[in-house]
Amino acid sequence: MEPSPAKGKPQGRLLVSTTLDAKDELEERLERCVGIVTSMTNGLSEREANDAITAHVCKGPQQHEEVCLGLFSILLTETPQAQRCYRDLTLVNRDGMNVVLMKINQILMEKFLKLQDVCRTQLVWLVRELVKSGVIGADGILMTLMKQIAGGDISSKNLWLAENVLDILLEQKEWVLKSGMLIAMSVYTYLRLMVDHGTPNLLPLRQKEVDFCISLLREKFMECYIIGRDLVRLLQNVARIPEMELLWKDLLHNPQTLSPQFTGVLQLLTSRTSRKFLACRLTPDMETKLLFMTSRVRFGQQKRYQDWFQRQYLSTAESQSLRCDLIRYICGVVHPSNEVLSSDILPRWAIIGWLLTTCTSNVAASNAKLALFYDWLFFSPEKDSIMNIEPAILVMHHSMKPHPAITATLLDFMCRIIPHFFPPLEVQVRQGVCNSLTFIMEKRVLAHLAPLFDNPKLDRELRSMLRERFPEFCSSPSPPTEVKMEESVSLEMENHVLDKEDSCYDATEAAFSDDEEEINNKGEGKKKEFRFHPIKETYIEEPADISPYVDQLDEPLKEKVTQLQKESDMEVQCEVMQEIVDLILEEDFDSEQMSTLASCLAELFKGHFRGDVLPDEITEESLEESVCKPVCLVFRNLCQMQEDNSSFSMLLDMLAELYQKQPKIGYHLLYYLKASKAAAGKMSLYEAFAQATALGDLHTCLMMDMKACQEDDVRLLCYLTPSIYSEFPDETLRSGELLNMIVAVIDSTQLQELMCHVMMGNLVMFRKDSVLNILIQSLDWETFEQYSTWQLFLAHSIPLETIIPILQHLKYKEHPEALSCLLLQLRREKPMEEMVKMVLSRPCHHEDQFTTSILRHWASKHDDTLGEHIKALLIKNNNLPRKRQSLRSSSSKLAQLTLEQMLEHLDNLRLNLSNTKNNFFTQTPILQALQHVQASCDEAHKMSGALVFRFSDLFALAEEYEDSTKPPKSRRKAPASSPRSRKGAAPPTNNEEESASSSASEEEDSKPKAPKRKRKGSSAVGSDSD
């Protein structure tokens, strides 16, 4: 292999850049790796080149990474070399392509827009090859690639990407069907893109998208069900396409044709859409810009950022459809912390108000308003979040004075959507909207709604409609004089008014296209009279103020703390901090000053606890650099001390005081213990720290710190996870608390990385003694969280028998996620008796197809084994004395396996197999068992014969069978459960009939061909004459 050097060829460059651009670090690194591979293979034959790179890879992880990235880079930049490089890459990699997958993900998330055209083409080709090869993690890469397909964009590059990704999904459909999340994400993506592809020249592409989505929705509806209520919104937008219209009608009127587990559209509308789906329709660049505006831009200074965003993404006619994606993302994904809410950072409602004013068509405006109110329609306080409904009420509230027409059109939409959204569900929609308004007042987003609903600025007809729809919210506790300006948190408002633009949305005309007349009548001449009062800041970027504390310190310490405040150079700060630590460790140090010193340090170091802790690119150098902060000096000194001396205790006390002032210190200590070379093998130090804190408990402290980490930095949470689980197994593996924190925030890429850690032996998240309890806990989690949990479980090598008892807890309507994962796993297993018993223990319901589907699969793949197990269970259960059955039923509500239950499942299986060539019910063990059960039922049910009559078709299969294999049985005494021993017992109920038949059948193990009815005296002796 002799790739041409990239230096001399323009097409060898990875990224598009100008002469003014600085050299990109990623590109530089990849070029270095290309140089290493080139230097090893120049002048060598193909075989010699392969030997050379293989030998280099074996030297260590660094050399392995260099070769993999070098081949990866050549593959992207040198098209003729692509096939050979991919072949070599598959041969030399030792980590399941993990290095390459991570680099692809980085390029997709950070550099895709800058890629050369050749490199972009090659990257899509590479993803196609990874999918063909079935590389673990390729589904995550494909989902990230789909994220790059922009909504509201019909440029040639975007259409090319959409079509190529669709081709990959169509070509590898069997592979796609193995991943529930990929199915759902693909359907969500292409249902949304169909809206943009309605022009005549794009109809062939749209037809491919329609056929693809319909096939997945019809074949795998329950996998698509995890999308939640936004699936209905997307289908509604494309319901006029003829093929989609048929599916839409089935969804509304014949839900069972889509899936036996699907009861109707209400079931879907009450399911909240996971933020993963809402985020997937924004490109990484859009997402970055929106998050920047909602976390960094101050209210009143947003105009230039909004103008840039509008020029970039919202300037074309096709981009009208993008507004809905942006509004759904802001409502469902962007949930600012209390710190941001209490600052003067640009609020969400202001961005949404601006987006509404940029709609230039009635259809776009209606869809945007529906996107804003969508979570209101079926809102449930137990399942949904206040953050999803808060923006809509605040847009109406804050627009009342400067732009009353916007408030009016939103209130009008809220009233009219109740009867018109879906007339059969009008009652439920009204309840959802009322739930939203009630919850808004309970959470004090607005104290009262009367000033909004009964405001003089609204026309009389609208106010009358609001009073009619929501009479309970229109009565004001005091005369409605003026709208009270409140925010979502109870904080004082500034007394002064910032000098902001006249319009809070920074739009020329704050109106919808159909509201111009209303604006002219109501809005003119008034908007300059009102300006918004921003919330008082509680957290401002300014020099630390330690004046309340510093004067309480003794002179030497006071001097050092003051010096620390004045210094801006990090190295000098570290030196001063070391001197402070030395002062603390002196014998005459006054421990009463510890709390004051901690307050000073918490104030001085507050900047160190903001932003990301983990470097963007993780290397030994970047990790060491990230822990060179003054606060890390305390950690380093602790690591260098013996745990039994007084200095160690003193520093721990100081750290515990600091922890009370700044709770983030906990997960920063965990990060230091993992990232720093100086702390290698010292992770147990955290336990001593936890015991020194006011909490005094390792488990509580660890969970609180990981929760704080989860809220601040998800990447850091994933980075710490392997170490936390390995160092503190007793605290992490005994419950699902930490696992729930992780799966609640990770994305598909991070999930795949954690699975790789598990499979490489770096991470153990479950152990046999507690995995069942954790999986049971997970049944109450969100859909994506449950799927992530099951994916992580399946990455472990824990036998399925360990968790099979969870079947007893699963209800087909409430737990589809666990049932679908178990079903797919059971089909890979050879049936064991305990498995079959648990499967048959499920209650029979005509809509629950779980038991029938797995029994059918086993009947086709392992018919002999399944037949023997069913025979054993039938005979064992049939022979179980009534007293034992009653005792078992009373002692536990779980694992009730009754004869009637087993026969009903078998009858369902018989019906399912009736039109197939499967010979399962002709097997000797099954026929023997059925004869045995029928005979004992005939003996016990002298009066009714209910079971025999109910399952007569099933028993008929065994009527012509004669068992010639069993020897005659000798007489024996009747068992203890004979009628005499039950002299005082109450007559059996319907549910206990099989118990009575079981006791009677104790007297004989098997019969020859069973007669239709036995004489009364024939049960005295068990005769086996042939």
Side-chain angles (χ1 to χ4, degrees):
M1 185 181 66
E2 298 179 24
S4 305
K7 277 186 182 176
K9 291 190 177 183
Q11 69 268 27
R13 287 178 57 80
L14 184 70
L15 307 176
V16 175
S17 60
T18 66
T19 53
L20 298 177
D21 289 334
K23 189 74 172 176
D24 187 84
E25 290 183 10
L26 173 62
E27 190 171 21
E28 270 191 324
R29 186 179 180 208
L30 291 178
E31 285 179 0
R32 284 198 303 272
C33 294
V34 169
I36 291 170
V37 173
T38 305
S39 64
M40 282 192 298
T41 58
N42 266 342
L44 301 179
S45 68
E46 187 173 326
R47 182 172 180 178
E48 291 170 338
N50 284 336
D51 292 341
I53 59 176
T54 302
H56 191 70
V57 162
C58 294
K59 291 180 180 178
Q62 184 177 345
Q63 289 77 8
H64 172 265
E65 186 172 343
E66 289 169 350
V67 170
C68 288
L69 293 182
L71 292 170
F72 166 67
S73 185
I74 296 169
L75 185 152
L76 292 185
T77 55
E78 304 286 348
T79 306
Q81 305 277 7
Q83 287 283 3
R84 185 187 300 174
C85 286
Y86 182 71
R87 184 197 64 199
D88 291 342
L89 197 54
T90 58
L91 291 174
V92 302
N93 86 89
R94 299 288 186 271
D95 62 350
M97 290 282 197
N98 195 47
V99 169
V100 175
L101 291 176
M102 290 175 68
K103 203 55 62 180
I104 293 174
N105 195 66
Q106 182 184 353
I107 290 173
L108 286 174
M109 294 300 291
E110 301 171 10
K111 312 290 182 184
F112 189 77
L113 295 178
K114 294 183 178 180
L115 278 180
Q116 296 270 10
D117 290 345
V118 171
C119 298
R120 187 182 286 111
T121 303
Q122 285 303 107
L123 186 60
V124 173
W125 176 86
L126 175 58
V127 173
R128 188 190 303 267
E129 293 302 310
L130 291 170
V131 171
K132 281 183 185 177
S133 304
V135 174
I136 295 176
D139 55 341
I141 295 296
L142 193 55
M143 284 188 271
T144 308
L145 184 60
M146 272 195 287
K147 188 176 170 67
Q148 283 291 353
I149 308 171
D153 181 359
I154 57 171
S155 62
S156 57
K157 285 185 178 180
N158 199 57
L159 290 173
W160 172 85
L161 182 60
E163 188 160 16
N164 272 271
V165 173
L166 181 58
D167 287 340
I168 294 173
L169 293 167
L170 289 170
E171 290 165 9
Q172 305 298 324
K173 188 176 177 183
E174 290 300 318
W175 174 83
V176 171
L177 295 180
K178 295 176 184 177
S179 171
M181 182 51 63
L182 180 58
I183 291 171
M185 201 70 79
S186 304
V187 168
Y188 190 92
T189 298
Y190 281 97
L191 281 177
R192 166 62 188 87
L193 293 175
M194 275 182 219
V195 177
D196 301 331
H197 301 160
T199 56
N201 62 312
L202 298 179
L203 288 181
L205 172 58
R206 191 179 78 172
Q207 190 59 47
K208 285 171 67 175
E209 294 168 341
V210 168
D211 294 341
F212 172 71
C213 289
I214 286 179
S215 69
L216 289 186
L217 284 164
R218 293 239 179 238
E219 295 172 27
K220 297 286 184 181
F221 184 79
M222 291 314 293
E223 279 76 0
C224 302
Y225 172 82
I226 67 172
I227 294 171
R229 60 174 65 114
D230 275 78
L231 177 60
V232 179
R233 183 177 63 86
L234 295 179
L235 287 169
Q236 193 174 7
N237 290 338
V238 296
R240 294 192 178 184
I241 300 172
E243 295 91 335
M244 298 303 299
E245 187 175 8
L246 295 174
L247 181 77
W248 179 248
K249 288 179 179 177
D250 283 343
L251 182 77
L252 298 182
H253 308 300
N254 301 303
Q256 294 288 307
T257 61
L258 298 175
S259 171
Q261 300 174 27
F262 182 51
T263 58
V265 71
L266 181 62
Q267 181 186 0
L268 198 51
L269 287 166
T270 53
S271 175
R272 178 181 171 187
T273 297
S274 168
R275 59 179 61 190
K276 313 292 179 186
F277 295 105
L278 300 178
C280 83
R281 287 318 316 129
L282 268 65
T283 66
D285 190 58
M286 291 181 198
E287 199 170 2
T288 301
K289 300 299 187 296
L290 270 184
L291 291 175
F292 178 82
M293 283 197 282
T294 55
S295 61
R296 302 291 181 85
V297 177
R298 296 187 183 282
F299 189 34
Q301 300 174 4
Q302 70 268 29
K303 188 176 188 308
R304 64 191 182 107
Y305 300 102
Q306 291 174 347
D307 290 345
W308 180 93
F309 196 93
Q310 185 160 3
R311 283 195 308 271
Q312 188 78 7
Y313 297 114
L314 303 175
S315 58
T316 63
E318 301 81 29
S319 65
Q320 291 293 314
S321 62
L322 182 59
R323 272 87 170 162
C324 298
D325 300 333
L326 296 170
I327 290 172
R328 293 298 295 143
Y329 177 83
I330 293 170
C331 291
V333 180
V334 182
H335 291 175
S337 64
N338 288 332
E339 182 182 35
V340 173
L341 286 173
S342 61
S343 69
D344 64 353
I345 295 297
L346 181 65
R348 296 186 300 162
W349 62 261
I351 299 178
I352 290 175
W354 161 67
L355 287 171
L356 292 172
T357 63
T358 64
C359 295
T360 58
S361 75
N362 293 344
V363 173
S366 296
N367 288 337
K369 287 181 276 190
L370 180 61
L372 179 60
F373 282 103
Y374 205 62
D375 288 313
W376 287 53
L377 306 183
F378 297 90
F379 182 82
S380 168
E382 292 78 24
K383 295 181 181 178
D384 294 294
S385 169
I386 184 65
M387 299 299 283
N388 290 18
I389 60 174
E390 179 214 54
I393 197 71
L394 291 181
V395 169
M396 294 188 287
H397 173 68
H398 288 295
S399 301
M400 180 63 81
K401 290 186 178 181
H403 307 295
I406 289 181
T407 301
T409 192
L410 291 176
L411 287 171
D412 180 76
F413 180 86
M414 184 178 72
C415 291
R416 296 184 190 278
I417 196 67
I418 293 174
H420 295 127
F421 177 74
F422 186 45
L425 296 181
E426 180 180 352
V427 173
Q428 288 88 343
V429 175
R430 188 187 187 285
Q431 186 60 51
V433 174
C434 290
N435 287 344
S436 302
L437 294 170
T438 303
F439 206 52
I440 282 165
M441 291 196 297
E442 285 178 4
K443 294 297 182 182
R444 306 290 293 178
V445 178
L446 293 183
H448 305 290
L449 294 173
L452 179 63
F453 284 5
D454 200 22
N455 196 287
K457 290 181 180 292
L458 304 176
D459 63 56
R460 186 177 301 171
E461 183 182 350
L462 177 57
R463 289 163 65 187
S464 174
M465 184 162 57
L466 285 166
R467 281 193 294 270
E468 180 185 341
R469 296 280 186 199
F470 310 109
E472 63 270 42
F473 301 109
C474 292
S475 56
S476 178
S478 57
T481 54
E482 184 182 16
V483 177
K484 185 179 179 182
M485 302 298 289
E486 292 193 20
E487 191 47 73
S488 59
V489 287
S490 301
L491 293 168
E492 293 183 3
M493 310 299 281
E494 287 277 17
N495 292 325
H496 65 282
V497 179
L498 290 186
D499 185 17
K500 290 186 167 39
E501 308 258 346
D502 290 340
S503 168
C504 60
Y505 305 134
D506 296 306
T508 308
E509 282 294 327
F512 299 125
S513 57
D514 54 340
D515 294 326
E516 292 173 0
E517 184 179 350
E518 196 171 0
I519 283 286
N520 292 333
N521 294 337
K522 297 188 175 186
E524 287 295 326
K526 291 190 176 184
K527 68 179 182 180
K528 289 191 177 182
E529 298 176 13
F530 305 102
R531 291 201 176 106
F532 292 108
H533 298 263
I535 299 174
K536 186 176 180 179
E537 289 185 52
T538 59
Y539 209 73
I540 306 173
E541 292 284 350
E542 60 182 11
D545 181 18
I546 57 173
S547 54
Y549 315 108
V550 70
D551 291 332
Q552 301 175 35
L553 298 173
D554 291 342
E555 192 53 42
L557 201 55
K558 178 180 178 181
E559 179 185 347
K560 295 300 178 187
V561 171
T562 306
Q563 184 183 352
L564 188 63
Q565 181 185 23
K566 293 177 181 177
E567 289 293 343
S568 58
D569 183 80
M570 189 73 75
E571 290 186 10
V572 178
Q573 283 185 334
C574 288
E575 293 173 3
V576 176
M577 187 63 205
Q578 183 59 53
E579 294 173 3
I580 291 175
V581 170
D582 293 337
L583 287 173
I584 294 172
L585 299 179
E586 289 181 1
E587 292 183 359
D588 57 349
F589 177 75
D590 185 3
S591 58
E592 293 182 0
Q593 295 189 73
M594 197 74 81
S595 178
T596 306
L597 176 60
S599 299
C600 291
L601 295 178
E603 181 67 14
L604 291 173
F605 296 152
K606 62 183 180 181
H608 297 169
F609 297 100
R610 294 182 196 147
D612 294 337
V613 181
L614 196 64
D616 291 336
E617 186 169 352
I618 300 175
T619 62
E620 290 184 5
E621 295 79 9
S622 63
L623 288 175
E624 281 299 320
E625 185 178 348
S626 68
V627 294
C628 291
K629 297 177 180 178
V631 71
C632 294
L633 260 295
V634 182
F635 305 154
R636 189 173 72 185
N637 278 273
L638 278 171
C639 291
Q640 294 170 349
M641 293 177 180
Q642 296 294 327
E643 294 188 10
D644 54 355
N645 65 28
S646 57
S647 299
F648 182 86
S649 301
M650 186 67 75
L651 269 188
L652 269 187
D653 291 342
M654 201 275 286
L655 207 55
E657 287 289 342
L658 190 57
Y659 185 68
Q660 287 190 332
K661 320 294 181 187
Q662 177 53 269
K664 295 181 182 182
I665 200 80
Y667 72 77
H668 277 72
L669 173 59
L670 286 168
Y671 172 70
Y672 178 86
L673 294 174
K674 175 166 184 178
S676 175
K677 289 181 180 178
K682 296 279 188 178
M683 188 63 80
S684 59
L685 184 67
Y686 179 82
E687 185 172 356
F689 160 74
Q691 291 169 353
T693 63
L695 298 171
D697 174 61
L698 174 59
H699 180 78
T700 306
C701 191
L702 182 63
M703 293 303 118
M704 287 182 64
D705 290 341
M706 296 306 284
K707 181 65 177 174
C709 181
Q710 178 221 39
E711 293 171 353
D712 292 347
D713 193 344
V714 178
R715 283 184 68 239
L716 179 58
L717 177 71
C718 294
Y719 176 77
L720 291 175
T721 294
S723 297
I724 299 302
Y725 270 94
S726 60
E727 292 294 335
F728 309 109
D730 292 334
E731 311 306 323
T732 54
L733 296 174
R734 69 186 184 188
S735 74
E737 189 175 353
L738 179 57
L739 178 64
N740 191 17
M741 288 183 208
I742 295 168
V743 297
V745 293
I746 59 173
D747 58 25
S748 55
T749 302
Q750 290 160 338
L751 171 61
Q752 184 258 336
E753 289 173 2
L754 289 175
M755 291 172 65
C756 289
H757 280 301
V758 171
M759 297 183 70
M760 291 189 295
N762 303 330
L763 173 62
V764 176
M765 304 182 80
F766 301 95
R767 61 186 180 193
K768 289 185 179 181
D769 61 347
S770 58
V771 61
L772 180 59
N773 289 333
I774 291 176
L775 289 177
I776 292 172
Q777 290 175 36
S778 74
L779 298 177
D780 296 325
W781 301 350
E782 284 194 6
T783 293
F784 182 79
E785 297 169 12
Q786 289 194 52
Y787 275 113
S788 299
T789 301
W790 280 96
Q791 291 292 314
L792 289 168
F793 165 75
L794 295 177
H796 291 69
S797 299
I798 298 177
L800 194 62
E801 307 92 85
T802 308
I803 57 102
I804 199 67
I806 197 175
L807 269 175
Q808 306 163 44
H809 299 265
L810 302 183
K811 299 178 182 178
Y812 76 99
K813 282 189 176 181
E814 298 174 17
H815 308 121
E817 302 90 347
L819 282 170
S820 58
C821 291
L822 260 178
L823 187 64
L824 292 175
Q825 194 62 18
L826 281 169
R827 74 190 300 271
R828 298 190 183 100
E829 299 281 335
K830 185 176 181 180
M832 300 172 62
E833 185 171 342
E834 186 63 22
M835 284 184 192
V836 178
K837 178 183 176 183
M838 288 297 171
V839 168
L840 292 172
S841 297
R842 290 187 59 73
C844 296
H845 193 283
H846 68 278
E847 293 180 4
D848 185 4
Q849 302 294 322
F850 180 93
T851 300
T852 306
S853 58
I854 191 58
L855 288 178
R856 179 193 170 109
H857 175 78
W858 281 339
S860 63
K861 300 292 184 182
H862 309 284
D863 53 344
D864 294 339
T865 308
L866 180 62
E868 291 293 341
H869 291 328
I870 288 179
K871 174 186 175 182
L873 288 169
L874 275 172
I875 293 176
K876 186 185 301 181
N877 193 270
N878 191 45
N879 289 341
L880 195 63
R882 178 184 170 191
K883 286 189 176 181
R884 280 186 57 196
Q885 283 206 350
S886 302
L887 181 63
R888 181 178 61 178
S889 301
S890 62
S891 63
S892 173
K893 293 183 179 180
L894 304 175
Q896 294 185 24
L897 180 59
T898 65
L899 179 62
E900 182 180 358
Q901 203 171 22
M902 294 177 69
L903 292 174
E904 189 166 354
H905 283 309
L906 287 175
D907 201 43
N908 289 337
L909 179 61
R910 178 189 63 79
L911 291 171
N912 189 267
L913 294 175
S914 59
N915 294 324
T916 69
K917 296 181 180 179
N918 192 292
N919 299 321
F920 179 75
F921 282 96
T922 63
Q923 294 183 91
T924 300
I926 294 294
L927 298 176
Q928 289 174 338
L930 289 175
Q931 274 196 353
H932 178 81
V933 172
Q934 185 183 15
S936 58
C937 284
D938 286 336
E939 289 292 328
H941 293 270
K942 302 179 180 68
M943 298 300 294
S944 64
L947 281 180
V948 176
F949 177 81
R950 181 178 174 187
F951 301 109
S952 58
D953 290 341
L954 183 64
F955 287 124
L957 298 174
E959 283 182 359
E960 300 302 322
Y961 173 75
E962 290 191 3
D963 189 356
S964 60
T965 61
K966 293 192 175 183
K969 300 285 266 187
S970 60
R971 291 175 185 263
R972 55 176 175 170
K973 293 182 181 179
S977 57
S978 63
R980 182 175 296 181
S981 66
R982 292 186 281 111
K983 185 175 180 181
T989 63
N990 289 339
N991 292 335
E992 295 173 335
E993 285 179 352
E994 65 267 29
S995 298
S997 70
S998 297
S999 64
S1001 64
E1002 271 284 297
E1003 301 175 15
E1004 53 188 323
D1005 287 333
S1006 63
K1007 297 272 185 185
K1009 177 180 174 182
K1012 296 292 183 183
R1013 285 287 180 272
K1014 291 267 186 179
R1015 284 192 172 277
K1016 185 173 181 180
S1018 64
S1019 63
V1021 178
S1023 174
D1024 280 345
S1025 59
D1026 290 325

